[in-house]
Amino acid sequence: MQPGWQLLLLCAVFLILMPIVFAVSNSFKTMQDAFNTVFQIIPARPTVQNYIHVFSKLPFLKITMNTFLIAATVTVFKTVTGLFAAYSFVYFDFRGKGILYFIMLATMFIPFTVTMIPNYLMISKIGLSDKIWGVALPQLADVLGIFLLRQSMRGIPRALIEAARMENVKNLKIMRDIIIPLVRPSIISTGIIFFINSWNEYVWPVLILKSKENYTLSLALQMYISAEGGTEFTIAMAVSVMTMVIPLALYILFQRYIINTFAMSGIKG
């Protein structure tokens, strides 16, 4: 690789990692040190008072559990519905399959603001406002999962599935014993993507959740950020660090699957 490209990549890595380093560094500073030495990476007088404040002033474990329950529920349902839909689009032949698939893909380009109000009215009507399940309910299916899993399944020889059907093997058994083991890396990576996206979501939860005990981590972070730029800056950094730990760890553990899944999605159209 040419030195110019290496320098460009190093600059890109620096720009990506700098916000993370900035948040971690300032989460261990006092308010005075944070404003006086905001870009000093190693704190002169490190302190854990910001983290102690978060656990003492907020029901942080409850907020973390809320975030986890929402993210886990959304991940499981999106992955399962995506798996069944992808199997249908690949191994079932029915009239209008191509058109239906195109319409489903087209919904990826519909802005969230278009569906936000209908979803909010629906959640309010069924009494799930200010409940964590009201956040999860409109997100139980996702076109991205259908697309990624369909692309993975298209790499499986169709003759293998036809041979199983000739032996009168049911579709559910085919999925369990043949499809899922072969596309397991794609299922894992797709689930991780769904989990991280749900974990970091802010706009939809802020519309539904009003009580502090029902907050997610993203809403807890917003409590320490004011319109003037943040009066509790170091505490906000501490919340940010605790918010990013789980999704960052998941991505690091499963990055190989995630990268391979996106690479495979372009092999067949």
Side-chain angles (χ1 to χ4, degrees), residues 51 113 131 133 248:
Y51 293 93
T113 51
K131 292 181 174 60
W133 306 119
L248 187 60

Side-chain angles (χ1 to χ4, degrees), residues 13 15 44 71 105 152 156 187 195 199 204 227 265:
V13 170
L15 292 174
L105 284 184
S152 296
I156 302 174
I187 294 173
F195 187 90
W199 185 276
W204 178 242
S265 68

Side-chain angles (χ1 to χ4, degrees), residues 11 16 56 81 89 98 130 145 157 159 173 207 213 223 233 246 258:
C11 291
I16 292 170
S56 62
T81 55
F89 278 119
D130 198 25
K173 187 172 177 59
L207 292 175
E213 61 270 15
M223 293 171 57
F233 170 70
I246 291 180
I258 296 173

Side-chain angles (χ1 to χ4, degrees), residues 55-120:
F55 281 100
S56 62
K57 299 297 182 181
L58 286 177
F60 195 79
L61 294 179
K62 178 69 163 56
I63 291 173
T64 303
M65 184 57 65
N66 292 341
T67 311
F68 179 81
L69 285 175
I70 293 172
T73 301
V74 168
T75 298
V76 170
F77 275 88
K78 279 185 176 181
T79 305
V80 171
T81 55
L83 191 62
F84 278 98
Y87 181 85
S88 299
F89 278 119
V90 175
Y91 299 112
F92 288 156
D93 294 319
F94 53 90
R95 182 176 298 178
K97 181 174 74 171
I99 296 175
L100 179 60
Y101 181 69
F102 174 79
I103 292 173
M104 291 187 63
L105 284 184
T107 61
M108 295 177 63
F109 302 97
I110 299 177
F112 170 72
T113 51
V114 174
T115 59
M116 178 176 63
I117 295 177
N119 283 335
Y120 179 80

Side-chain angles (χ1 to χ4, degrees), residues 145-195:
I146 298 173
F147 170 75
L148 293 176
L149 293 174
R150 174 183 177 271
Q151 295 300 92
S152 296
M153 289 182 191
R154 285 169 64 89
I156 302 174
R158 194 180 181 93
L160 184 64
I161 308 303
E162 296 299 334
R165 287 175 173 170
M166 290 179 63
E167 297 293 330
N168 294 321
V169 180
K170 302 298 183 182
N171 284 300
L172 286 177
K173 187 172 177 59
I174 292 175
M175 286 189 63
R176 185 190 67 188
D177 296 340
I178 300 176
I179 300 297
I180 291 178
L182 292 175
V183 299
R184 183 178 288 113
S186 295
I187 294 173
I188 293 173
S189 60
T190 302
I192 295 300
I193 293 170
F194 288 153
F195 187 90

